[in-house]
């Protein structure tokens, strides 16, 4: 505790007293982003003001997924995407596209039609990606082309996916090729979770990346969702970042948050070991955020630092509470949108000498 006080509390006091005007995007050596749910977001002035002040990259938490865009064949719904794209342009923020292909957000009508007519799915894949990526060519800087194609743990390809069921793993490279054909300048990511802790899963992702690079499949980056827990050893995270960085690809911490409780990766699967957030926990989380940023900065070469994006930036709106049905405090800002020690720890990570 004493160590935490000096490592975090003293600098936090310094930042708090002298760093009142900390703007994360101004002190960061790489883009700092956050996800938003565009409709509730735009109605909340305090949230918008904070987002504009601290972030220069933005990701849609839900509105840019297939089940929100093409609810029936041939009918595309672009309004919400246009809204968030216009917000990003107006506020000079990088627009990141999440995501093109994800088993979870593939609409039922697509799954049904693919099972009736398997050959149709590849044609739909090409048409959907062509329609979507060409509409935002030169506007959306990078894409999570394929999200979570591997099982939650272990390293096998995810079997419960219409894409894998009908097309096998080839759907992944086809998605990358189709996206690159339309927008050769877009940065194309493979995005997944638990690869910062499950080395079997990471190794499977890296084997796929290596194979893609050998065969000229246009993959540009790896997205670590980075939904981590306080008890994941820094050494493990550092090891995985190093292995990914060694590919030479862009590395994006794409959905960052740090929780105290645990879960089984499934909806409602939370185990609430901590019922409330105390001062010691706040300081420990601040240190963890500082360590994470320092690892990212020191392990990933500068030219590969695509940036750090948070999956929501305040505890009140975090997906963790809704999805895992448990209380937790994963973000930099608290339920009242005030900066926590985690905010100052993260800031220290961005500015400390390496
Ligand atoms: O907007 C409707 C609302 O009108 C309706 O009343 C309500 C009833 O359930 O649903 C609302 O939509 C929900 C949407 O989030 C709103 O944000 C969907 O049901 C719900 O499934 C959806 O969950 C999103 C989830 O992905 C599935 O798409 C979460 O917000 C989003 O944070 C989460 O994000 C994922 C990343 O895409 C991939 N990595 C993991 C991450 C967390 O699960």
């Amino acid at each position: 505790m004493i160590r935490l006080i000096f490592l975090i509390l003293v600098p936090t006091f310094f930042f708090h007293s002298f760093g009142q005007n900390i703007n994360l995007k101004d002190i960061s050596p790489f883009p700092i982003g956050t996800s938003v749910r565009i409709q509730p977001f735009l109605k909340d002035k305090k949230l918008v003001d904070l987002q504009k002040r601290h972030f220069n990259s933005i990701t849609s938490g839900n509105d840019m997924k297939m089940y929100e865009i093409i609810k029936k064949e041939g009918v595309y719904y672009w309004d919400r995407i246009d809204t968030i794209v216009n917000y990003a342009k107006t506020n000079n923020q990088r627009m990141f596209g999440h995501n093109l292909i994800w088993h979870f957000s593939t609409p039922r009508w697509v799954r049904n039609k693919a099972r009736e007519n398997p050959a149709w799915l590849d044609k739909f894949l090409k048409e959907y990606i062509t329609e979507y990526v060409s509409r935002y060519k030169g506007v959306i800087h990078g894409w999570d082309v394929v999200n979570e194609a591997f099982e939650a743990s272990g390293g096998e390809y995810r079997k419960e996916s219409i894409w894998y069921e009908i097309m096998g793993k080839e759907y992944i490279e086809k998605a990358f090729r189709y996206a690159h054909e339309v927008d050769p300048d877009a940065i194309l990511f493979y995005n997944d979770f638990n690869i910062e802790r499950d080395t079997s899963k990471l190794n499977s992702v890296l084997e796929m990346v290596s194979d893609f690079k050998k065969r000229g499949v246009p993959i540009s980056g790896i997205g670590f969702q980075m939904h981590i827990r306080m008890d994941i050893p820094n050494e493990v995270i550092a090891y995985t970042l190093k292995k990914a960085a060694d590919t030479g690809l862009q590395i994006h911490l794409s959905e960052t948050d740090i929780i105290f409780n645990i879960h089984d990766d499934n909806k409602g699967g939370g185990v609430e070991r901590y019922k409330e957030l105390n001062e010691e926990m706040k300081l420990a989380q601040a240190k963890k955020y500082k360590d994470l940023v320092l690892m990212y900065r020191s392990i990933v070469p500068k030219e590969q630092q695509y940036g750090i994006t948070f999956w929501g930036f305040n505890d009140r709106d975090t997906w963790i509470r809704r999805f895992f049905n448990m209380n937790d405090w994963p973000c930099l800002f608290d339920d009242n949108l005030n900066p926590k020690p985690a905010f100052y720890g993260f800031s220290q990570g961005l500015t400390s000498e390496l």
Side-chain angles (χ1 to χ4, degrees), residues 257-301:
D257 41 36
I258 305 181
I259 60 174
F260 296 89
N261 288 308
I262 58 175
H263 57 72
D264 62 1
D265 290 318
N266 297 310
K267 189 166 180 60
V271 177
E272 204 173 86
R273 299 180 300 183
Y274 300 91
K275 300 287 181 196
E276 57 185 22
L277 182 67
N278 63 36
E279 291 313 308
E280 186 173 354
M281 290 163 71
K282 289 179 189 175
L283 291 180
Q285 187 185 46
K287 170 100 174 39
K288 196 70 174 177
Y289 265 113
K290 179 175 181 179
D291 292 346
L292 180 65
V293 185
L294 288 174
M295 285 189 281
Y296 184 71
R297 288 178 57 206
S298 57
I299 294 167
V300 180

Side-chain angles (χ1 to χ4, degrees), residues 152-172:
S153 60
E156 292 295 314
Y157 282 99
R158 183 182 292 274
K159 302 296 184 291
E160 280 189 44
S161 159
I162 191 66
W163 302 98
Y164 186 87
E165 178 189 328
I166 301 293
M167 298 175 65
K169 64 181 182 176
E170 282 68 30
Y171 81 92
I172 303 170

